[in-house]
Amino acid sequence: MFFDFFSKPRPQQKLPFATDMHCHIVPGVDDGSPDVETSLQLLESMNEWGLKRIFASPHSTQDNFENTPQTLAEPFAALKQGAGAMPVELDFHLEYRIDEFFIDQLEAANVRPLPGNYLLIENGFSHEPWGIDNLVCDLMNRGFNPVLAHPERYHYYSRKNARRLKELHDLGLYFQINLLSLAGHYGKFERRAALSLLESNMVQFVGTDLHRASHVESINSYLCSRNFEKDIKLIGHLHNDAL
């Protein structure tokens, strides 16, 4: 018997869900896609992964990207027009950094959540925002379902205080991990942290967090990997398609 010692490329598989709720493909509004042409290239890749419903989530951060539903209307319309007859349903919400600009928009009732009033929020990467417990409760009292973006990437949790994540989750905060974390794009530690949250049943959503071509390359490689074949059992039951 002859053995083939040259491994054949593994076929790229599709994602076990059809809805992405975290990506940066609205052109020219944040650190994601700079123009419509790039956005369409990203959309083509997303469609190849099996994504049919895509909720773009531009950053809303004080000073850097003070996006609002009003300022995003025109660039999002340009994206939809460019997408034309592509077989994908497009909508947008925002990824809100917990800062004074977000609080001002919240008080003005000028925030844009996902269907089901899921509101995507993110921490800063250096430390936990002051008063986050009270904020989560306030958001829920206002009728929102707050979702914390990529908790596996906040090292002050995953490296120093993993129990804190359980406290926040028990408080009612939903978690959304990044597909890029599972793909190893940020490093082995972030992948392990994301898997730990999945295995602890603390993850409700997974998002691509797609910004650029290098992210496409990482996800393409992941979808051809043995890691994805193992992970698919963990991410196949999440709530993306219930949005």
Side-chain angles (χ1 to χ4, degrees):
M1 180 180 294
F2 294 94
F3 294 92
D4 185 0
F5 291 99
F6 298 96
S7 59
K8 297 178 180 178
R10 302 172 69 83
Q12 179 172 297
Q13 301 187 60
K14 293 188 181 297
L15 292 168
F17 50 86
T19 304
D20 186 19
M21 48 82 78
H22 186 173
C23 60
H24 297 268
I25 60 171
V26 177
V29 299
D30 61 9
D31 60 343
S33 172
D35 50 49
V36 172
E37 182 181 0
T38 302
S39 297
L40 297 183
Q41 292 171 352
L42 296 175
L43 275 173
E44 288 178 2
S45 294
M46 299 172 88
N47 195 242
E48 290 173 359
W49 302 335
L51 294 170
K52 302 298 182 184
R53 296 174 69 232
I54 296 173
F55 292 92
S57 53
H59 287 292
S60 177
T61 62
Q62 187 170 342
D63 298 328
N64 294 324
F65 308 115
E66 293 188 345
N67 288 312
T68 68
Q70 293 74 29
T71 64
L72 292 169
E74 186 174 339
F76 179 71
L79 172 64
K80 286 199 73 171
Q81 182 177 4
M86 290 182 68
V88 63
E89 178 184 342
L90 291 172
D91 204 341
F92 79 93
H93 60 123
L94 290 92
E95 179 186 11
Y96 290 99
R97 175 69 59 88
I98 299 174
D99 57 24
E100 291 184 11
F101 182 71
F102 168 56
I103 300 302
D104 290 344
Q105 295 300 301
L106 183 65
E107 293 300 329
N110 195 37
V111 297
R112 185 174 173 115
L114 286 154
N117 262 5
Y118 290 100
L119 190 68
L120 188 65
I121 58 176
E122 69 165 344
N123 292 359
F125 283 93
S126 62
H127 60 273
E128 180 183 85
W130 182 84
I132 187 173
D133 302 70
N134 290 335
L135 175 64
V136 169
C137 292
D138 181 47
L139 290 173
M140 291 190 294
N141 288 336
R142 293 172 186 258
F144 295 110
N145 296 306
V147 182
L148 182 63
H150 42 64
E152 75 280 4
R153 298 188 64 198
Y154 305 124
H155 288 182
Y156 47 83
Y157 292 146
S158 55
R159 290 183 183 270
K160 298 179 179 180
N161 192 3
R163 291 182 180 179
R164 179 66 175 139
L165 283 177
K166 187 176 187 310
E167 292 175 0
L168 292 171
H169 191 263
D170 288 347
L171 191 63
L173 184 59
Y174 293 95
F175 288 166
Q176 172 260 305
I177 61 169
N178 282 359
L179 195 66
L180 284 163
S181 296
L182 293 172
H185 181 83
Y186 312 110
K188 293 181 179 179
F189 185 85
E190 284 78 4
R191 171 169 165 76
R192 288 197 299 269
L195 286 173
S196 178
L197 288 171
L198 282 167
E199 291 164 353
S200 299
N201 294 317
M202 292 170 61
V203 178
Q204 286 69 51
F205 302 99
V206 59
T208 63
D209 203 0
L210 191 66
H211 285 66
R212 56 189 65 93
S214 62
H215 291 173
V216 171
E217 293 171 3
S218 291
I219 293 174
N220 281 343
S221 296
Y222 175 57
L223 294 180
C224 298
S225 70
R226 288 187 172 86
N227 279 341
F228 177 68
E229 289 186 352
K230 293 184 294 184
D231 298 348
I232 197 170
K233 297 176 182 178
L234 293 171
I235 63 176
H237 68 283
L238 300 183
H239 300 171
N240 288 50
D241 288 338
L243 290 171

